[in-house]
Amino acid sequence: MTFNLSFYSIFSFKAYLLIGFFCLAYNISFSQNISKIDSLESVYRMGGYDKKDQLKILNTLSGNHPDPQKSLQYSTELIQKAKLLDSSQYLLRAVLRKGNALRLKGDYAQALGSYFEAASIATKSKDNGNIGLVNITIADVYSEMKNHENAVSYYEKGIDLLRKEHDTLNFASGLFNLGDEYLSNKDYDLAIEHFMEAGLIFRKINYKEGEAYVLGNMGMIYAEQGKDDLAEANINE
């Protein structure tokens, strides 16, 4: 049970709660979201929009399109437009979205290339909060690649930056993802340590979804350790 926070779109419960600013969140159903994206895509293709809204539209399409190939297409176009208009904000988002699309397509090597480029952009802007978030995302990719050493290294870098930035939710989410990495490697003591710290923060800020995933993962650890009563209690809660 992993907790994905990734850049404005969630794909596997492990690093998507993070980086919420990188994609547009809709409080509507999935089918409604698809309908809105289809409509916006038609408007964009027909040119029926104010030119000043071009970056905003491409930003929405690249971050929310359900087809990774289309997301890749629109993020690439957004990169070109953002460079022409010298918009570092949209360039960062576009490069991140490109990385997300490549990651969803299973092209981890190129996805990492985009994320490292995003880290470079954030570094030039001296934006430690975004650098921290990008490091967490890089760590998530290494985790998916089963590269435990690099995953832990980048989680720790990102967590350290987010701690200093006082970014409570993303800091706790980074702790959770690092705990999940330790859980995947059966290092239960370190997993519990990070889940407990993340859970305390989630509870303090009343983030129920985060609390639920902490309890679920703790329950799985207890089950692995043969502590069935504790496992059942945590999972039920």
Side-chain angles (χ1 to χ4, degrees), residues 202-223:
F202 287 142
R203 192 172 303 115
K204 184 176 180 180
I205 63 177
N206 197 32
Y207 187 71
K208 297 298 184 183
E209 186 176 5
E211 289 186 66
Y213 280 102
V214 167
L215 288 165
N217 276 17
M218 291 290 291
M220 293 201 304
I221 291 174
Y222 290 137

Side-chain angles (χ1 to χ4, degrees), residues 171-235:
F171 170 59
S173 299
L175 287 169
F176 182 96
N177 281 13
L178 178 53
D180 184 72
E181 175 64 19
Y182 284 126
L183 172 58
S184 296
N185 282 268
K186 301 187 183 301
D187 193 337
Y188 298 134
D189 288 341
L190 283 172
I192 289 173
E193 177 185 328
H194 286 83
F195 287 146
M196 293 290 283
E197 186 176 359
L200 287 172
I201 297 171
F202 287 142
R203 192 172 303 115
K204 184 176 180 180
I205 63 177
N206 197 32
Y207 187 71
K208 297 298 184 183
E209 186 176 5
E211 289 186 66
Y213 280 102
V214 167
L215 288 165
N217 276 17
M218 291 290 291
M220 293 201 304
I221 291 174
Y222 290 137
E224 288 288 333
Q225 294 177 330
K227 301 174 182 178
D228 294 343
D229 290 342
L230 280 173
E232 184 177 358
N234 274 263
I235 291 172

Side-chain angles (χ1 to χ4, degrees), residues 53-111:
D53 293 328
Q54 186 178 39
L55 293 182
K56 186 185 297 185
I57 292 172
L58 282 171
N59 182 56
T60 301
L61 290 173
S62 64
N64 294 276
H65 205 291
D67 182 349
Q69 186 59 42
K70 286 290 189 69
S71 179
L72 181 59
Q73 173 190 327
Y74 288 122
S75 61
T76 300
E77 189 172 347
L78 180 57
I79 288 171
Q80 296 170 346
K81 301 295 183 183
K83 286 181 177 178
L84 284 173
L85 296 174
D86 196 26
S87 173
S88 59
Q89 178 186 21
Y90 277 110
L91 179 60
L92 176 61
R93 295 181 182 186
V95 172
L96 285 167
R97 265 83 183 259
K98 181 179 179 180
N100 291 343
L102 290 165
R103 179 178 172 183
L104 284 170
K105 287 167 63 67
D107 192 340
Y108 295 129
Q110 288 199 55

Side-chain angles (χ1 to χ4, degrees), residues 109-121:
Q110 288 199 55
L112 282 173
S114 288
Y115 292 141
F116 283 126
E117 183 180 351
S120 178
I121 294 170

Side-chain angles (χ1 to χ4, degrees), residues 100-141:
N100 291 343
L102 290 165
R103 179 178 172 183
L104 284 170
K105 287 167 63 67
D107 192 340
Y108 295 129
Q110 288 199 55
L112 282 173
S114 288
Y115 292 141
F116 283 126
E117 183 180 351
S120 178
I121 294 170
T123 298
K124 289 177 182 177
S125 301
K126 298 181 180 180
D127 189 339
N128 287 333
N130 285 340
I131 297 170
L133 293 175
V134 175
N135 278 328
I136 296 294
T137 301
I138 291 171
D140 287 336
V141 177

